Amino acid sequence: ALAAAVRENISLTSLNLANNSIKENGGMALARALACNVAITSLQLHTNAIRNDAAILFSQALVGNPFLLSLDLHTCKIGDEGALCLVDAVVNNTTLVTLRLNDNFITDAGGREIADIVGQNTVLTTLDVSSNQLDHATAAR
């Protein structure tokens, strides 16, 4: 019901669904809805268990959504695969300025790949990957 409302609503610009019990299927439905939405500029889904598959769908939504400015997915149990898809999508997105992926399951290997990808984006002003599993070598890159 909520995903359908997000898909069709043209006046809602900010949506905060943080700290709920949204699981992967709910996250996937919201990602599909975001791909069709032309108004939301800020989406906060942090502290939900949306995981990798939903994060991958959010990355696909980012590619075609020129409206979203801020996406907060911290503490969403996202691993390397989902995080890399999101960051890769940001390279081709010309509007997203804030992406929060802190406190997820991003490993050091994923962090190194994120570092390589994020250098290609000129729009993103905030990328938060704190409280993941990154080590000194990744931070020094």
Side-chain angles (χ1 to χ4, degrees):
L2 187 56
V6 167
R7 185 180 309 107
E8 297 170 10
N9 188 295
I10 59 170
S11 61
L12 184 68
T13 59
S14 182
L15 180 59
N16 186 340
L17 295 170
N19 295 305
N20 282 292
S21 297
I22 299 171
K23 304 273 189 262
E24 196 165 26
N25 287 339
M28 292 168 70
L30 287 166
R32 287 187 197 99
L34 183 64
C36 302
N37 185 281
V38 297
I40 292 179
T41 59
S42 176
L43 179 58
Q44 295 183 27
L45 272 175
H46 65 81
T47 322
N48 284 290
I50 67 164
R51 302 185 185 271
N52 275 336
D53 286 344
I56 291 166
L57 284 180
F58 274 107
S59 72
Q60 294 167 0
L62 282 176
V63 171
N65 185 317
F67 307 101
L68 193 67
L69 301 173
S70 178
L71 180 59
D72 188 344
L73 298 175
H74 84 264
T75 319
C76 283
K77 300 185 178 183
I78 297 169
D80 287 345
E81 182 183 13
L84 289 171
C85 286
L86 284 162
V87 172
D88 194 41
V90 168
V91 170
N92 297 313
N93 182 293
T94 59
T95 55
L96 193 75
V97 294
T98 301
L99 178 59
R100 298 196 186 284
L101 295 173
N102 50 303
D103 197 23
N104 277 292
F105 299 135
I106 302 170
T107 68
D108 193 50
R112 285 191 300 271
E113 289 187 55
I114 288 171
D116 292 340
I117 294 169
V118 80
Q120 302 170 38
N121 179 281
T122 59
V123 178
L124 195 67
T125 59
T126 302
L127 173 63
D128 188 348
V129 291
S130 62
S131 299
N132 279 287
Q133 301 162 13
L134 311 180
D135 69 12
H136 172 73
T138 299
R141 282 185 78 127

PDB file of all heavy atoms in Angstrom, residues 2-28:
ATOM      1  N   LEU A   2       1.885   1.282   0.849  1.00  0.00           N
ATOM      2  CA  LEU A   2       2.743   2.456   0.913  1.00  0.00           C
ATOM      3  C   LEU A   2       3.560   2.622  -0.370  1.00  0.00           C
ATOM      4  O   LEU A   2       3.710   3.737  -0.877  1.00  0.00           O
ATOM      5  CB  LEU A   2       3.669   2.374   2.122  1.00  0.00           C
ATOM      6  CG  LEU A   2       4.513   3.605   2.419  1.00  0.00           C
ATOM      7  CD1 LEU A   2       3.635   4.837   2.590  1.00  0.00           C
ATOM      8  CD2 LEU A   2       5.337   3.383   3.661  1.00  0.00           C
ATOM      9  N   ALA A   3       4.063   1.539  -0.910  1.00  0.00           N
ATOM     10  CA  ALA A   3       4.835   1.620  -2.151  1.00  0.00           C
ATOM     11  C   ALA A   3       3.976   2.163  -3.288  1.00  0.00           C
ATOM     12  O   ALA A   3       4.439   2.981  -4.086  1.00  0.00           O
ATOM     13  CB  ALA A   3       5.410   0.254  -2.507  1.00  0.00           C
ATOM     14  N   ALA A   4       2.724   1.737  -3.368  1.00  0.00           N
ATOM     15  CA  ALA A   4       1.820   2.243  -4.402  1.00  0.00           C
ATOM     16  C   ALA A   4       1.595   3.740  -4.227  1.00  0.00           C
ATOM     17  O   ALA A   4       1.568   4.496  -5.207  1.00  0.00           O
ATOM     18  CB  ALA A   4       0.498   1.495  -4.369  1.00  0.00           C
ATOM     19  N   ALA A   5       1.454   4.185  -3.002  1.00  0.00           N
ATOM     20  CA  ALA A   5       1.261   5.610  -2.736  1.00  0.00           C
ATOM     21  C   ALA A   5       2.502   6.408  -3.148  1.00  0.00           C
ATOM     22  O   ALA A   5       2.391   7.487  -3.717  1.00  0.00           O
ATOM     23  CB  ALA A   5       0.933   5.832  -1.261  1.00  0.00           C
ATOM     24  N   VAL A   6       3.680   5.874  -2.864  1.00  0.00           N
ATOM     25  CA  VAL A   6       4.926   6.539  -3.242  1.00  0.00           C
ATOM     26  C   VAL A   6       5.021   6.636  -4.764  1.00  0.00           C
ATOM     27  O   VAL A   6       5.418   7.660  -5.309  1.00  0.00           O
ATOM     28  CB  VAL A   6       6.150   5.790  -2.662  1.00  0.00           C
ATOM     29  CG1 VAL A   6       7.448   6.265  -3.295  1.00  0.00           C
ATOM     30  CG2 VAL A   6       6.187   5.944  -1.155  1.00  0.00           C
ATOM     31  N   ARG A   7       4.646   5.584  -5.432  1.00  0.00           N
ATOM     32  CA  ARG A   7       4.717   5.544  -6.895  1.00  0.00           C
ATOM     33  C   ARG A   7       3.839   6.621  -7.515  1.00  0.00           C
ATOM     34  O   ARG A   7       4.216   7.267  -8.489  1.00  0.00           O
ATOM     35  CB  ARG A   7       4.295   4.165  -7.408  1.00  0.00           C
ATOM     36  CG  ARG A   7       4.442   3.975  -8.897  1.00  0.00           C
ATOM     37  CD  ARG A   7       4.021   2.587  -9.361  1.00  0.00           C
ATOM     38  NE  ARG A   7       4.646   1.510  -8.618  1.00  0.00           N
ATOM     39  CZ  ARG A   7       4.026   0.733  -7.719  1.00  0.00           C
ATOM     40  NH1 ARG A   7       2.754   0.902  -7.449  1.00  0.00           N
ATOM     41  NH2 ARG A   7       4.679  -0.221  -7.087  1.00  0.00           N
ATOM     42  N   GLU A   8       2.666   6.858  -6.951  1.00  0.00           N
ATOM     43  CA  GLU A   8       1.675   7.727  -7.568  1.00  0.00           C
ATOM     44  C   GLU A   8       1.667   9.159  -7.042  1.00  0.00           C
ATOM     45  O   GLU A   8       1.177  10.057  -7.710  1.00  0.00           O
ATOM     46  CB  GLU A   8       0.294   7.105  -7.394  1.00  0.00           C
ATOM     47  CG  GLU A   8       0.188   5.772  -8.114  1.00  0.00           C
ATOM     48  CD  GLU A   8      -1.078   5.005  -7.763  1.00  0.00           C
ATOM     49  OE1 GLU A   8      -1.965   5.577  -7.117  1.00  0.00           O
ATOM     50  OE2 GLU A   8      -1.149   3.823  -8.126  1.00  0.00           O
ATOM     51  N   ASN A   9       2.220   9.388  -5.875  1.00  0.00           N
ATOM     52  CA  ASN A   9       2.167  10.717  -5.271  1.00  0.00           C
ATOM     53  C   ASN A   9       3.119  11.677  -5.980  1.00  0.00           C
ATOM     54  O   ASN A   9       4.282  11.362  -6.187  1.00  0.00           O
ATOM     55  CB  ASN A   9       2.522  10.637  -3.790  1.00  0.00           C
ATOM     56  CG  ASN A   9       2.294  11.937  -3.074  1.00  0.00           C
ATOM     57  OD1 ASN A   9       2.951  12.928  -3.360  1.00  0.00           O
ATOM     58  ND2 ASN A   9       1.359  11.933  -2.145  1.00  0.00           N
ATOM     59  N   ILE A  10       2.629  12.864  -6.321  1.00  0.00           N
ATOM     60  CA  ILE A  10       3.474  13.845  -7.007  1.00  0.00           C
ATOM     61  C   ILE A  10       3.778  15.075  -6.150  1.00  0.00           C
ATOM     62  O   ILE A  10       4.401  16.013  -6.618  1.00  0.00           O
ATOM     63  CB  ILE A  10       2.852  14.280  -8.350  1.00  0.00           C
ATOM     64  CG1 ILE A  10       1.470  14.898  -8.124  1.00  0.00           C
ATOM     65  CG2 ILE A  10       2.797  13.113  -9.324  1.00  0.00           C
ATOM     66  CD1 ILE A  10       0.886  15.554  -9.333  1.00  0.00           C
ATOM     67  N   SER A  11       3.328  15.061  -4.889  1.00  0.00           N
ATOM     68  CA  SER A  11       3.587  16.215  -4.032  1.00  0.00           C
ATOM     69  C   SER A  11       4.503  15.914  -2.848  1.00  0.00           C
ATOM     70  O   SER A  11       5.112  16.822  -2.292  1.00  0.00           O
ATOM     71  CB  SER A  11       2.269  16.809  -3.521  1.00  0.00           C
ATOM     72  OG  SER A  11       1.573  15.847  -2.759  1.00  0.00           O
ATOM     73  N   LEU A  12       4.650  14.660  -2.473  1.00  0.00           N
ATOM     74  CA  LEU A  12       5.494  14.267  -1.342  1.00  0.00           C
ATOM     75  C   LEU A  12       6.964  14.414  -1.731  1.00  0.00           C
ATOM     76  O   LEU A  12       7.418  13.784  -2.685  1.00  0.00           O
ATOM     77  CB  LEU A  12       5.193  12.821  -0.960  1.00  0.00           C
ATOM     78  CG  LEU A  12       5.894  12.253   0.260  1.00  0.00           C
ATOM     79  CD1 LEU A  12       5.375  12.942   1.519  1.00  0.00           C
ATOM     80  CD2 LEU A  12       5.663  10.758   0.340  1.00  0.00           C
ATOM     81  N   THR A  13       7.700  15.252  -1.021  1.00  0.00           N
ATOM     82  CA  THR A  13       9.110  15.462  -1.360  1.00  0.00           C
ATOM     83  C   THR A  13      10.073  14.799  -0.382  1.00  0.00           C
ATOM     84  O   THR A  13      11.237  14.595  -0.713  1.00  0.00           O
ATOM     85  CB  THR A  13       9.436  16.967  -1.444  1.00  0.00           C
ATOM     86  OG1 THR A  13       9.150  17.571  -0.183  1.00  0.00           O
ATOM     87  CG2 THR A  13       8.651  17.635  -2.554  1.00  0.00           C
ATOM     88  N   SER A  14       9.619  14.472   0.812  1.00  0.00           N
ATOM     89  CA  SER A  14      10.480  13.853   1.803  1.00  0.00           C
ATOM     90  C   SER A  14       9.733  12.700   2.460  1.00  0.00           C
ATOM     91  O   SER A  14       8.586  12.864   2.875  1.00  0.00           O
ATOM     92  CB  SER A  14      10.895  14.886   2.861  1.00  0.00           C
ATOM     93  OG  SER A  14      11.759  14.294   3.799  1.00  0.00           O
ATOM     94  N   LEU A  15      10.385  11.559   2.548  1.00  0.00           N
ATOM     95  CA  LEU A  15       9.771  10.379   3.146  1.00  0.00           C
ATOM     96  C   LEU A  15      10.744   9.765   4.139  1.00  0.00           C
ATOM     97  O   LEU A  15      11.870   9.418   3.794  1.00  0.00           O
ATOM     98  CB  LEU A  15       9.403   9.359   2.063  1.00  0.00           C
ATOM     99  CG  LEU A  15       8.743   8.062   2.522  1.00  0.00           C
ATOM    100  CD1 LEU A  15       7.438   8.345   3.271  1.00  0.00           C
ATOM    101  CD2 LEU A  15       8.493   7.156   1.331  1.00  0.00           C
ATOM    102  N   ASN A  16      10.304   9.636   5.380  1.00  0.00           N
ATOM    103  CA  ASN A  16      11.125   9.062   6.432  1.00  0.00           C
ATOM    104  C   ASN A  16      10.444   7.796   6.941  1.00  0.00           C
ATOM    105  O   ASN A  16       9.404   7.857   7.591  1.00  0.00           O
ATOM    106  CB  ASN A  16      11.308  10.060   7.575  1.00  0.00           C
ATOM    107  CG  ASN A  16      12.278   9.567   8.626  1.00  0.00           C
ATOM    108  OD1 ASN A  16      12.551   8.371   8.730  1.00  0.00           O
ATOM    109  ND2 ASN A  16      12.806  10.477   9.419  1.00  0.00           N
ATOM    110  N   LEU A  17      11.034   6.668   6.639  1.00  0.00           N
ATOM    111  CA  LEU A  17      10.537   5.366   7.093  1.00  0.00           C
ATOM    112  C   LEU A  17      11.573   4.670   7.978  1.00  0.00           C
ATOM    113  O   LEU A  17      11.606   3.455   8.073  1.00  0.00           O
ATOM    114  CB  LEU A  17      10.210   4.484   5.880  1.00  0.00           C
ATOM    115  CG  LEU A  17       9.063   4.973   5.003  1.00  0.00           C
ATOM    116  CD1 LEU A  17       8.988   4.165   3.721  1.00  0.00           C
ATOM    117  CD2 LEU A  17       7.758   4.899   5.759  1.00  0.00           C
ATOM    118  N   ALA A  18      12.398   5.442   8.616  1.00  0.00           N
ATOM    119  CA  ALA A  18      13.471   4.910   9.448  1.00  0.00           C
ATOM    120  C   ALA A  18      12.931   4.189  10.676  1.00  0.00           C
ATOM    121  O   ALA A  18      11.838   4.472  11.159  1.00  0.00           O
ATOM    122  CB  ALA A  18      14.382   6.049   9.888  1.00  0.00           C
ATOM    123  N   ASN A  19      13.726   3.238  11.163  1.00  0.00           N
ATOM    124  CA  ASN A  19      13.438   2.520  12.410  1.00  0.00           C
ATOM    125  C   ASN A  19      12.097   1.807  12.397  1.00  0.00           C
ATOM    126  O   ASN A  19      11.349   1.856  13.364  1.00  0.00           O
ATOM    127  CB  ASN A  19      13.502   3.488  13.605  1.00  0.00           C
ATOM    128  CG  ASN A  19      14.887   4.037  13.823  1.00  0.00           C
ATOM    129  OD1 ASN A  19      15.829   3.276  13.972  1.00  0.00           O
ATOM    130  ND2 ASN A  19      15.012   5.345  13.802  1.00  0.00           N
ATOM    131  N   ASN A  20      11.789   1.171  11.301  1.00  0.00           N
ATOM    132  CA  ASN A  20      10.593   0.345  11.217  1.00  0.00           C
ATOM    133  C   ASN A  20      11.018  -1.112  11.090  1.00  0.00           C
ATOM    134  O   ASN A  20      12.170  -1.448  11.345  1.00  0.00           O
ATOM    135  CB  ASN A  20       9.735   0.791  10.025  1.00  0.00           C
ATOM    136  CG  ASN A  20       8.955   2.046  10.349  1.00  0.00           C
ATOM    137  OD1 ASN A  20       8.058   2.025  11.177  1.00  0.00           O
ATOM    138  ND2 ASN A  20       9.311   3.142   9.699  1.00  0.00           N
ATOM    139  N   SER A  21      10.123  -1.934  10.687  1.00  0.00           N
ATOM    140  CA  SER A  21      10.432  -3.356  10.504  1.00  0.00           C
ATOM    141  C   SER A  21      10.353  -3.723   9.024  1.00  0.00           C
ATOM    142  O   SER A  21       9.888  -4.800   8.667  1.00  0.00           O
ATOM    143  CB  SER A  21       9.453  -4.206  11.312  1.00  0.00           C
ATOM    144  OG  SER A  21       9.597  -3.939  12.686  1.00  0.00           O
ATOM    145  N   ILE A  22      10.825  -2.824   8.169  1.00  0.00           N
ATOM    146  CA  ILE A  22      10.789  -3.073   6.725  1.00  0.00           C
ATOM    147  C   ILE A  22      11.880  -4.065   6.378  1.00  0.00           C
ATOM    148  O   ILE A  22      13.050  -3.863   6.688  1.00  0.00           O
ATOM    149  CB  ILE A  22      10.962  -1.754   5.945  1.00  0.00           C
ATOM    150  CG1 ILE A  22       9.817  -0.803   6.290  1.00  0.00           C
ATOM    151  CG2 ILE A  22      11.016  -2.020   4.442  1.00  0.00           C
ATOM    152  CD1 ILE A  22       9.986   0.604   5.758  1.00  0.00           C
ATOM    153  N   LYS A  23      11.486  -5.133   5.764  1.00  0.00           N
ATOM    154  CA  LYS A  23      12.417  -6.189   5.370  1.00  0.00           C
ATOM    155  C   LYS A  23      12.741  -6.052   3.883  1.00  0.00           C
ATOM    156  O   LYS A  23      12.359  -5.093   3.229  1.00  0.00           O
ATOM    157  CB  LYS A  23      11.799  -7.561   5.662  1.00  0.00           C
ATOM    158  CG  LYS A  23      11.366  -7.760   7.107  1.00  0.00           C
ATOM    159  CD  LYS A  23      12.500  -8.258   7.948  1.00  0.00           C
ATOM    160  CE  LYS A  23      12.033  -8.667   9.313  1.00  0.00           C
ATOM    161  NZ  LYS A  23      12.213  -7.714  10.344  1.00  0.00           N
ATOM    162  N   GLU A  24      13.403  -7.054   3.351  1.00  0.00           N
ATOM    163  CA  GLU A  24      13.879  -7.005   1.968  1.00  0.00           C
ATOM    164  C   GLU A  24      12.755  -6.808   0.955  1.00  0.00           C
ATOM    165  O   GLU A  24      12.866  -5.964   0.059  1.00  0.00           O
ATOM    166  CB  GLU A  24      14.651  -8.291   1.659  1.00  0.00           C
ATOM    167  CG  GLU A  24      15.499  -8.202   0.434  1.00  0.00           C
ATOM    168  CD  GLU A  24      16.506  -9.333   0.379  1.00  0.00           C
ATOM    169  OE1 GLU A  24      16.264 -10.402   0.962  1.00  0.00           O
ATOM    170  OE2 GLU A  24      17.541  -9.136  -0.256  1.00  0.00           O
ATOM    171  N   ASN A  25      11.661  -7.544   1.085  1.00  0.00           N
ATOM    172  CA  ASN A  25      10.565  -7.408   0.122  1.00  0.00           C
ATOM    173  C   ASN A  25       9.947  -6.015   0.153  1.00  0.00           C
ATOM    174  O   ASN A  25       9.622  -5.449  -0.890  1.00  0.00           O
ATOM    175  CB  ASN A  25       9.482  -8.470   0.349  1.00  0.00           C
ATOM    176  CG  ASN A  25       9.928  -9.840  -0.091  1.00  0.00           C
ATOM    177  OD1 ASN A  25      10.840  -9.980  -0.896  1.00  0.00           O
ATOM    178  ND2 ASN A  25       9.292 -10.870   0.446  1.00  0.00           N
ATOM    179  N   GLY A  26       9.782  -5.457   1.329  1.00  0.00           N
ATOM    180  CA  GLY A  26       9.262  -4.095   1.448  1.00  0.00           C
ATOM    181  C   GLY A  26      10.224  -3.082   0.861  1.00  0.00           C
ATOM    182  O   GLY A  26       9.804  -2.128   0.188  1.00  0.00           O
ATOM    183  N   GLY A  27      11.508  -3.281   1.093  1.00  0.00           N
ATOM    184  CA  GLY A  27      12.520  -2.407   0.506  1.00  0.00           C
ATOM    185  C   GLY A  27      12.521  -2.481  -1.009  1.00  0.00           C
ATOM    186  O   GLY A  27      12.662  -1.468  -1.690  1.00  0.00           O
ATOM    187  N   MET A  28      12.341  -3.691  -1.537  1.00  0.00           N
ATOM    188  CA  MET A  28      12.299  -3.862  -2.991  1.00  0.00           C
ATOM    189  C   MET A  28      11.080  -3.154  -3.583  1.00  0.00           C
ATOM    190  O   MET A  28      11.178  -2.493  -4.622  1.00  0.00           O
ATOM    191  CB  MET A  28      12.309  -5.351  -3.336  1.00  0.00           C
ATOM    192  CG  MET A  28      13.638  -6.009  -3.000  1.00  0.00           C
ATOM    193  SD  MET A  28      13.631  -7.820  -3.052  1.00  0.00           S
ATOM    194  CE  MET A  28      13.464  -8.094  -4.796  1.00  0.00           C
TER     195      MET A  28
END
